[in-house]
Amino acid sequence: MPLRDGIQRFLDDMDPTILSRGADYCRSGQVERIDWDKNHVTAEVSGSEEAPYLVELDFSEEGEVEDWSCDCPYEWGPVCKHTVAVLLVIQKEPPERHKKRSRAPKIDIRPLLERAEKSQLAALILEHCQEDLRFQSRVLVELEDSGEQELAAVKALVKTSIRSNTYRGYIEMRGCDRSCADLDDALNLAHRRIKGGQYDRALDITLFILCTVVKLAGEADSSSGSLGWTIDAALETAELATAGLAKSGGGRTEWVKKLLNTVQDPVFDGWDHWRYDLLQRVAVLVDEQNEGEFYAVLDRLSDRLWEECKDLPRYGYGKEDKITRYHVLRSAHGPGVAKAYLEQNLDVDEFRLILVRENMAEKDYANAERLCREKVDKEQPERWQRPSQWQYLLYEIYRGWGQREERIRQARRLALLGEQVRLDPRSVFRYGDVLAAQYREEVYRLCTAVIRKESEQVGNRRGYRALCGLIKSLAGFGGRAEVKEIIAELRQRYPRRPALLDELGRV
């Protein structure tokens, strides 16, 4: 029981998409072998490669998952689906049964398929499509060219998923996570269409998913964050698809109409920030012929928002509205006209930030410094307040400008402002190269403390590479002796992390 409970606590924090895919691997028997050595587990999981993936796990005496690793190439999160599959198998069966478990024999069905008649295969596929909507979608992805049935299949799958996870008109947290995992799968299909240059089909799928998940925001418990992640993913996918559509030179009229209708859909009522976010991401389709349509929609949205705030005086357009108009203006008339608009609206911090970045790119550091100083001079620093983004930008400006003395002064100001290093010890790596000259021992001590703490929190190769990046930075500050010491310490502390040992060897 302690082992099962410990695994469940670990899985409770899992990305729902990875959890769903790991469960699929567990059900389909792709965990081929599990070996126990006291509290250490070595397992093999079959995947997309010919050779199985190697998963290693360490458990505490209380049954908690202490360490994990997999040699698969997954780099988008701390835990992969292969690791989840092994944990789910262990959770179902006690350790003593795993010791007797032998590697499942691989069955080669290719000869059978090659000998089978086409009608037999078609019957098998049709039967499986009726039982598994995901498989049906996969068949449509591979074989159907028009896109008509593909979108219908996606809608059917999503409808079934939401219905199966709804209880008395409400979707609780785990049901929301499961539905979002199915919506994410549909977005993966849209990404495949984008890679294939089928931007119209990708947009059809994406806009349907976006409207569906925004509607779920008022009907489901999204406290795990999965719903917000799916909305962000849908908005990013819409941005990629419209960018591809714009570059392809295809007709815009139909898609501009469809996108503007989506923005005005009542499903977004109460979620106007997502409305504006979508408009900003698809503004790449704006040109001189259709910009009036975008402004007309923005005017209607602005009027409606002010109508809801009748008791407040109207002071021009709101912040999100201004930012959206900037994107429309830039797409229709180019950066020159858009820059003038930015300079007229410096009350919007996002506009000031864009101008600072543009000035830095153009090596106009004097104007970039002026824009930052105007904000910094109005600040009233407090003891425990973090430095503002304008303070950080000044440091970047002086570095690019070659103003060494100003850069050193700004680095010290950032390190001391609000006791920055105490609030954020990792910030020592940002300024260590200029602080080490005067505060060598303190910088080295802070760096090694951060590296030790980071080593306790990472568990995959991507994290190990980031950790080794910090070690390399420490070496760059002159702390070579400290680097040798911390590498030896990590090798001794984590002898069963082959990926970490490999990355340390590269340092």
Side-chain angles (χ1 to χ4, degrees):
M1 285 300 293
L3 180 64
R4 289 176 178 173
D5 292 343
I7 291 174
Q8 189 57 53
R9 282 189 287 273
F10 184 82
L11 295 176
D12 284 343
D13 295 328
M14 197 64 53
D15 182 323
T17 302
I18 299 302
L19 185 61
S20 174
R21 291 171 183 169
D24 289 341
Y25 268 52
C26 173
R27 285 192 296 269
S28 59
Q30 288 175 257
V31 179
E32 298 181 344
R33 181 176 64 84
I34 296 181
D35 291 329
W36 284 82
D37 180 9
K38 295 183 179 178
N39 291 333
H40 180 71
V41 170
T42 305
E44 290 184 356
V45 183
S46 61
S48 55
E49 302 293 332
E50 184 175 350
Y53 294 116
L54 180 66
V55 174
E56 294 192 69
L57 297 161
D58 283 304
F59 294 92
S60 68
E61 294 296 334
E62 294 76 27
E64 301 294 333
V65 181
E66 283 192 330
D67 194 15
W68 64 93
S69 67
C70 178
D71 61 359
C72 74
Y74 180 70
E75 293 186 345
W76 302 105
V79 186
C80 67
K81 59 189 175 185
H82 311 105
T83 303
V84 171
V86 174
L87 287 168
L88 289 171
V89 171
I90 294 172
Q91 194 178 39
K92 288 181 179 179
E93 301 180 14
E96 58 271 15
R97 288 177 59 186
H98 293 293
K99 292 179 180 178
K100 302 174 185 177
R101 197 180 172 101
S102 60
R103 182 169 175 173
K106 290 209 169 185
I107 301 173
D108 186 6
I109 65 170
R110 180 180 290 275
L112 291 173
L113 296 176
E114 290 175 345
R115 291 198 304 267
E117 295 181 1
K118 184 177 179 180
S119 58
Q120 287 179 291
L121 294 176
L124 286 171
I125 292 171
L126 285 170
E127 182 180 353
H128 194 44
C129 283
Q130 293 174 350
E131 297 172 352
D132 189 340
L133 289 176
R134 288 184 181 83
F135 180 74
Q136 176 179 273
S137 295
R138 179 69 185 274
V139 170
L140 288 168
V141 168
E142 300 296 338
L143 304 180
E144 205 261 336
D145 292 328
S146 69
E148 296 176 4
Q149 295 186 70
E150 179 180 79
L151 181 59
V154 168
K155 290 181 177 180
L157 175 61
V158 169
K159 183 178 179 181
T160 300
S161 176
I162 293 174
R163 184 172 61 245
S164 64
N165 289 303
T166 302
Y167 179 68
R168 293 185 177 178
Y170 186 70
I171 304 177
E172 50 84 35
M173 186 181 72
R174 290 190 180 279
C176 179
D177 291 346
R178 288 191 290 268
S179 291
C180 284
D182 289 329
L183 292 166
D184 290 338
D185 284 341
L187 288 175
N188 289 335
L189 169 57
H191 276 271
R192 290 186 62 176
R193 292 305 177 206
I194 291 171
K195 288 180 180 179
Q198 298 166 307
Y199 307 114
D200 52 347
R201 292 174 66 172
L203 267 175
D204 269 331
I205 295 170
T206 303
L207 294 180
F208 165 71
I209 295 299
L210 180 60
C211 290
T212 300
V213 73
V214 169
K215 185 180 179 182
L216 281 179
E219 302 175 354
D221 177 0
S222 59
S223 53
S224 70
S226 59
L227 191 147
W229 298 334
T230 302
I231 289 176
D232 288 342
L235 290 167
E236 289 170 6
T237 307
E239 183 176 11
L240 287 172
T242 49
L245 193 65
K247 288 181 181 179
S248 70
R252 301 184 178 194
T253 304
E254 177 188 351
W255 279 106
V256 165
K257 183 178 179 180
K258 186 174 290 190
L259 286 163
L260 293 179
N261 285 339
T262 300
V263 165
Q264 298 175 88
D265 193 303
V267 75
F268 286 93
D269 289 350
W271 310 103
D272 289 293
H273 58 293
W274 286 326
R275 267 193 171 116
Y276 285 114
D277 197 342
L278 178 59
L279 273 171
Q280 291 162 24
R281 290 174 184 269
V282 304
V284 68
L285 292 178
V286 179
D287 55 31
E288 292 186 19
Q289 285 70 44
N290 62 33
E291 67 173 320
E293 298 175 43
F294 281 82
Y295 289 136
V297 170
L298 284 169
D299 287 340
R300 282 195 290 272
L301 292 177
S302 180
D303 290 342
R304 186 177 60 79
L305 287 172
W306 282 108
E307 184 68 21
E308 294 171 359
C309 306
K310 291 181 179 179
D311 297 334
L312 298 175
R314 179 165 179 168
Y315 298 107
Y317 297 116
K319 174 183 165 182
E320 288 300 325
D321 187 280
K322 284 184 177 180
I323 293 173
T324 308
R325 288 174 187 273
Y326 161 73
H327 286 283
V328 171
L329 191 66
R330 183 183 176 91
S331 182
H333 300 285
V337 175
K339 188 172 183 179
Y341 180 79
L342 294 179
E343 291 170 343
Q344 294 166 6
N345 293 277
L346 286 176
D347 57 308
V348 179
D349 282 350
E350 285 82 351
F351 290 170
R352 184 180 293 266
L353 182 60
I354 292 171
L355 280 174
V356 169
R357 292 295 186 192
E358 288 183 356
N359 287 330
M360 290 173 68
E362 297 165 0
K363 301 191 183 303
D364 184 1
Y365 295 109
N367 200 43
E369 181 194 30
R370 176 186 64 81
L371 289 167
C372 288
R373 280 286 173 202
E374 288 176 357
K375 295 294 293 186
V376 169
D377 291 344
K378 294 179 181 178
E379 292 176 355
Q380 298 178 349
E382 298 177 6
R383 178 174 175 78
W384 296 106
Q385 180 181 343
R386 289 181 181 271
S388 68
Q389 62 178 334
W390 312 108
Q391 295 276 10
Y392 287 117
L393 278 169
L394 278 174
Y395 176 82
E396 298 297 332
I397 289 167
Y398 294 136
R399 181 168 65 177
W401 203 351
Q403 300 285 341
R404 178 172 172 75
E405 293 304 317
E406 287 293 338
R407 181 186 171 202
I408 291 173
R409 275 194 288 271
Q410 188 65 15
R412 290 174 180 163
R413 190 176 296 115
L414 285 165
L416 299 174
L417 182 63
E419 300 193 25
Q420 172 68 4
V421 174
R422 181 180 294 181
L423 287 169
D424 181 14
R426 222 172 184 272
S427 65
V428 72
F429 288 95
R430 186 189 294 263
Y431 314 108
D433 56 340
V434 292
L435 293 175
Q438 186 171 346
Y439 308 107
R440 179 174 285 109
E441 290 185 9
E442 290 90 339
V443 167
Y444 295 169
R445 176 174 52 79
L446 285 166
C447 287
T448 52
V450 171
I451 290 168
R452 287 191 184 97
K453 186 174 181 181
E454 293 280 323
S455 70
E456 297 170 359
Q457 298 174 354
V458 297
N460 64 356
R461 187 172 288 273
R462 189 180 187 183
Y464 298 148
R465 287 174 184 163
L467 180 70
C468 288
L470 299 180
I471 296 173
K472 290 176 183 177
S473 295
L474 174 56
F477 303 156
R480 293 184 175 274
E482 287 74 14
V483 164
K484 291 179 180 178
E485 183 180 338
I486 196 70
I487 287 178
E489 179 184 325
L490 293 176
R491 286 183 182 279
Q492 186 176 4
R493 285 179 66 183
Y494 304 110
R496 290 178 173 173
R497 293 188 181 182
L500 173 60
L501 298 178
D502 179 47
E503 293 298 328
L504 289 173
R506 297 175 189 273
V507 176

